[in-house]
Amino acid sequence: GAVVSQHPSRVICKSGTSVKIECRSLDFQATTMFWYRQFPKQSLMLMATSNEGSKATYEQGVEKDKFLINHASLTLSTLTVTSAHPEDSSFYICSARGLAARQETQYFGPGTRLLVL
Amino acid sequence: RKEVEQDPGPFNVPEGATVAFNCTYSNSASQSFFWYRQDCRKEPKLLMSVYSSGNEDGRFTAQLNRASQYISLLIRDSKLSDSATYLCVVKETSYDKVIFGPGTSLSVIP
């Protein structure tokens, strides 16, 4: 089946630094990628949807200047958490839908656990 | 009202038990429905899609009632490996909008 990878899997950083998370589709071309955030004991919350080559669409309440999303190619999307603060500590998960994947299914990456000290 | 709501849980059941999860959604125009499972500290994985006529996959049976905007998942003969959080997922009419329910935690006890 389709595989989506994320890097890094875990990151610890100081408050005020920026963190970049990569999401790659390994065996298919992802025209659309989604970024989710999950706080402990809560469900996944969609942050933004990005289509290759165009600007991401952010969900209400998600700051686009804080969470920079780039989807420059059909296999790579990045999420940059700028000037991270402790409240940004969360589990960030990307998912991808693409040309070779069943349209009704989203393939998830393994997630990136961010801890901001 | 939340877009997708689920039983609060947690459900603690003995091995071999039958357990049912319920889910309701608020947007009557929603198009597609799924159940995902999420193991602790892992990403969600698709368990099964939910079709209007109901569908079964081994020990798992999913039902959809569009009139009541209600989805269910039945697990028969539960195994220890079924312990996870089960997420009800609804796809909105807009092609890219997927809404996750808060999840219901299941613990199968020996």
Side-chain angles (χ1 to χ4, degrees):
Chain A
V3 177
V4 176
S5 71
Q6 275 186 246
H7 178 78
S9 59
R10 188 185 301 269
V11 59
I12 301 173
C13 68
K14 292 182 180 178
S15 185
T17 59
S18 293
V19 176
K20 179 186 282 189
I21 303 169
E22 294 185 348
C23 176
R24 292 181 186 274
S25 55
L26 298 183
D27 55 0
F28 68 102
Q29 293 182 320
T31 51
T32 305
M33 283 193 175
F34 307 86
W35 286 96
Y36 293 86
R37 179 168 54 180
Q38 185 177 34
F39 293 106
K41 298 189 185 300
Q42 295 186 26
S43 191
L44 278 74
M45 297 300 295
L46 179 64
M47 298 175 67
T49 302
S50 74
N51 293 297
E52 185 266 337
S54 62
K55 288 184 179 180
T57 302
Y58 289 80
E59 294 299 304
Q60 193 172 11
V62 178
E63 301 173 57
K64 61 178 69 174
D65 294 329
K66 181 170 181 64
F67 298 99
L68 302 178
I69 292 172
N70 182 282
H71 191 168
S73 78
L74 286 172
T75 59
L76 174 64
S77 176
T78 60
L79 167 68
T80 301
V81 183
T82 61
S83 187
H85 290 284
E87 59 265 29
D88 298 323
S89 300
S90 187
F91 188 42
Y92 291 86
I93 306 176
C94 72
S95 71
R97 180 172 57 225
L99 301 174
R102 291 163 53 197
Q103 288 198 348
E104 288 294 313
T105 308
Q106 286 185 236
Y107 296 93
F108 285 89
T112 296
R113 208 160 286 282
L114 170 64
L115 176 61
V116 184
L117 302 176
Chain B
R1 183 184 170 188
K2 291 183 180 177
E3 292 169 293
V4 180
E5 297 191 72
Q6 293 185 239
D7 287 340
F11 283 49
N12 300 310
V13 303
E15 270 186 290
T18 295
V19 60
F21 300 137
N22 301 319
C23 170
T24 57
Y25 58 96
S26 61
N27 186 344
S28 60
S30 297
Q31 293 290 321
S32 307
F33 311 89
F34 311 89
W35 284 101
Y36 278 73
R37 71 170 277 167
Q38 185 175 24
D39 293 288
C40 188
R41 303 175 77 83
K42 300 282 189 182
E43 77 277 19
K45 292 189 187 294
L46 177 66
L47 181 63
M48 58 196 304
S49 300
V50 186
Y51 303 117
S52 297
S53 55
N55 49 299
E56 188 174 307
D57 182 3
R59 297 181 293 109
F60 300 86
T61 301
Q63 298 274 351
L64 167 65
N65 184 323
R66 285 188 184 271
S68 302
Q69 294 176 209
Y70 168 89
I71 307 158
S72 66
L73 175 69
L74 185 75
I75 304 176
R76 291 181 300 278
D77 188 24
S78 51
K79 313 288 185 192
L80 297 176
S81 57
D82 294 333
S83 298
T85 296
Y86 289 82
L87 303 168
C88 175
V89 179
V90 174
K91 192 173 190 179
E92 302 277 286
T93 50
S94 66
Y95 185 62
D96 284 342
K97 187 85 167 179
V98 172
I99 308 296
F100 283 81
T104 302
S105 174
L106 171 67
S107 291
V108 181
I109 304 163

